[in-house]
């Protein structure tokens, strides 16, 4: 079921990107949502190496967040290194500051 959702998300995102390139307003309006559907099913798990047992599949699918959501090279250094080494440490976990000014922990400055 998970791979079926990924396939549907790929088709929808592909349709939107094609429509965007052809000037379709509907495809352009739906593009951020369809791209999010694709990346939410693939990117996080792929960057952690847990989407597939095949490393090449994980490497390829981690790029589904490009170019609308984030740069994978930044994600790897910030999320995997900072967040996973210093989870919930207000001084060192960069993920705690992504949603500023919302306070995700008591230690976050208002």
């Amino acid at each position: 079921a998970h791979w079926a959702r990924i396939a549907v998300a790929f088709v929808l995102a592909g349709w939107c990107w094609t429509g965007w390139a052809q000037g379709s307003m509907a495809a352009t309006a739906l593009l951020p949502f369809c791209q999010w559907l694709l990346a939410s099913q693939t990117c996080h798990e792929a960057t952690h190496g847990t989407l597939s047992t095949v490393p090449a599949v994980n490497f390829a699918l981690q790029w589904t967040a490009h170019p609308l959501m984030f740069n994978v090279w930044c994600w790897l250094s910030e999320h995997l290194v900072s967040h996973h080494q210093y989870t919930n440490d207000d001084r060192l976990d960069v993920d705690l500051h992504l949603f500023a000014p919302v306070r995700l922990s008591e230690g976050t400055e208002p």
Side-chain angles (χ1 to χ4, degrees):
H2 186 63
W3 288 103
R5 287 191 302 270
I6 290 172
V8 169
F10 259 111
V11 169
L12 289 172
W15 174 80
C16 286
W17 280 109
T18 301
W20 170 79
Q22 296 171 347
S24 166
M25 293 303 283
T28 302
L30 290 172
L31 178 58
F33 176 72
C34 291
Q35 186 67 32
W36 174 83
L37 281 177
L38 175 60
S40 68
Q41 298 291 320
T42 57
C43 189
H44 185 260
E45 289 80 9
T47 58
H48 285 288
T50 60
L51 180 64
S52 172
T53 57
V54 180
V57 171
N58 288 322
F59 181 80
L61 292 181
Q62 71 183 347
W63 297 98
T64 58
H66 268 59
L68 296 181
M69 297 175 76
F70 59 82
N71 181 311
V72 172
W73 295 118
C74 294
W75 168 268
L76 293 173
S77 64
E78 290 179 3
H79 178 75
L80 295 182
V81 175
S82 170
H83 173 68
H84 285 279
Q85 279 188 318
Y86 305 106
T87 304
N88 294 328
D89 181 322
D90 187 59
R91 294 175 297 114
L92 300 172
D93 183 351
V94 296
D95 282 6
L96 292 179
H97 305 284
L98 293 176
F99 303 105
V102 175
R103 295 179 67 197
L104 298 180
S105 76
E106 289 298 318
T108 304
E109 295 291 325

